[in-house]
């Protein structure tokens, strides 16, 4: 696995075998935590979304399943004896999860904007979005920091997927609050379309192998 350096600077010192082993084990623990949390999040969000007829909340739950797919790709990579050999395939799986998320969010947002459903107030959804907004940034930062030191493009790409989940948590929370307080049902799907565009861009960059591991990214 190649270490990525910033042009015009000296490269970092090569990782010792012991340090590399620690970082790889750390990635596995981060990924396991991400998968566990997102599976719980998906069940709660989809269930609460169906009760409240909230397409945004159901969509958020399905996004959690996409995040599980991305994290599982990294888990599969680092479960092997030679993670570097699986780097490209793992990155492609992450790219596909980004693009799949972008497609779903875009289609669902347009469906809601054109009046396919009208969500009711959901306290469970507001609490869930708030928790995700607090938890996901930490998981994303920790995995990104570890992935950069390790020089793993796939781990950094997966951290971006987790960060995107943070944005969606914010969008969901704002949408649920505005819908509950002011009846602005259009706020959530409109903001989600912006997130879909970001997801599509990240997916294309991951597919092309342009995800950055340098410390300045």
């Amino acid at each position: 696995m190649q270490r990525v350096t910033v042009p015009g600077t000296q490269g970092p010192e090569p990782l010792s075998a012991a340090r590399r082993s620690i970082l790889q084990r750390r990635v596995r623990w981060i990924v396991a935590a991400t998968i566990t949390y997102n599976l719980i999040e998906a069940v709660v969000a989809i269930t609460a979304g169906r009760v409240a007829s909230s397409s945004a909340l159901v969509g958020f739950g399905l996004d959690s399943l996409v995040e599980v797919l991305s994290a599982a790709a990294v888990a599969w990579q680092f479960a092997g004896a030679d993670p570097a050999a699986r780097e490209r395939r793992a990155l492609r799986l992450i790219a596909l999860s980004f693009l799949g998320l972008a497609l779903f969010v875009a289609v669902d947002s347009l469906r809601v904007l054109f009046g396919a459903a009208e969500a009711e107030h959901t306290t469970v959804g507001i609490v869930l979005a708030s928790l995700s907004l607090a938890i996901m940034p930490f998981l994303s930062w920790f995995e990104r920091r570890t992935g950069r030191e390790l020089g793993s493009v796939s781990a950094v790409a997966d951290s971006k997927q987790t960060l995107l989940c943070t944005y969606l948590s914010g969008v969901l929370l704002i949408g649920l609050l505005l819908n509950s307080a002011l009846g602005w049902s259009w706020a959530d799907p409109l903001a989600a379309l912006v997130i879909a565009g970001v997801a599509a861009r990240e997916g294309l960059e991951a597919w092309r192998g342009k995800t950055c591991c340098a410390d300045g990214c």
Side-chain angles (χ1 to χ4, degrees):
M1 190 178 300
Q2 292 184 337
R3 297 281 288 160
V4 181
T5 61
V6 180
T9 64
Q10 292 183 345
E13 293 294 327
L15 290 175
S16 66
R19 181 59 179 169
R20 183 175 296 278
S21 178
I22 290 173
L23 291 173
Q24 290 176 351
R25 185 164 58 251
R26 185 184 297 173
V27 169
R28 288 193 288 269
W29 277 107
I30 295 170
V31 168
T34 301
I35 290 175
T36 300
Y37 178 82
N38 276 280
L39 284 174
I40 296 172
E41 183 179 73
V43 172
V44 174
I46 293 173
T47 302
R50 288 176 63 86
V51 171
S53 299
S54 172
S55 58
L57 192 52
V58 172
F60 182 72
L62 294 177
D63 162 69
S64 298
L65 295 179
V66 173
E67 168 64 15
V68 169
L69 174 61
S70 176
V74 178
W76 167 79
Q77 178 192 348
F78 283 91
D82 183 13
R86 296 182 172 185
E87 179 90 86
R88 185 171 181 81
R89 280 176 289 176
L91 193 59
R92 287 293 174 89
L93 288 173
I94 292 171
L96 289 175
S97 71
F98 267 122
L99 295 173
L101 172 60
L103 178 62
F104 171 80
V105 172
V107 171
D108 192 65
S109 298
L110 291 173
R111 186 178 68 85
V112 174
L113 279 173
F114 284 104
E118 187 169 338
E120 302 173 4
H121 168 76
T122 167
T123 302
V124 173
I126 291 173
V127 171
L128 180 65
S130 300
L131 284 175
S132 296
L133 199 57
I135 294 172
M136 287 301 173
F138 171 73
L139 288 175
S140 175
W141 168 81
F142 197 34
E143 184 175 17
R144 183 170 64 254
R145 179 179 178 181
T146 304
R148 284 173 176 170
E149 184 177 353
L150 188 58
S152 172
V153 179
S154 61
V156 175
D158 183 57
S159 75
K160 286 188 174 184
Q161 177 72 287
T162 304
L163 187 60
L164 185 63
C165 186
T166 301
Y167 298 152
L168 284 174
S169 299
V171 168
L172 176 66
L173 181 59
I174 292 172
L176 292 177
L177 289 174
L178 289 178
N179 183 49
S180 179
L182 303 175
W184 292 358
S185 58
W186 50 265
D188 181 8
L190 189 63
L193 283 174
V194 177
I195 298 297
V198 175
R201 186 196 65 186
E202 297 294 348
L204 290 174
E205 289 185 355
W207 185 267
R208 295 166 182 164
K210 292 184 178 180
T211 300
C212 181
C213 289
D215 291 338
C217 299

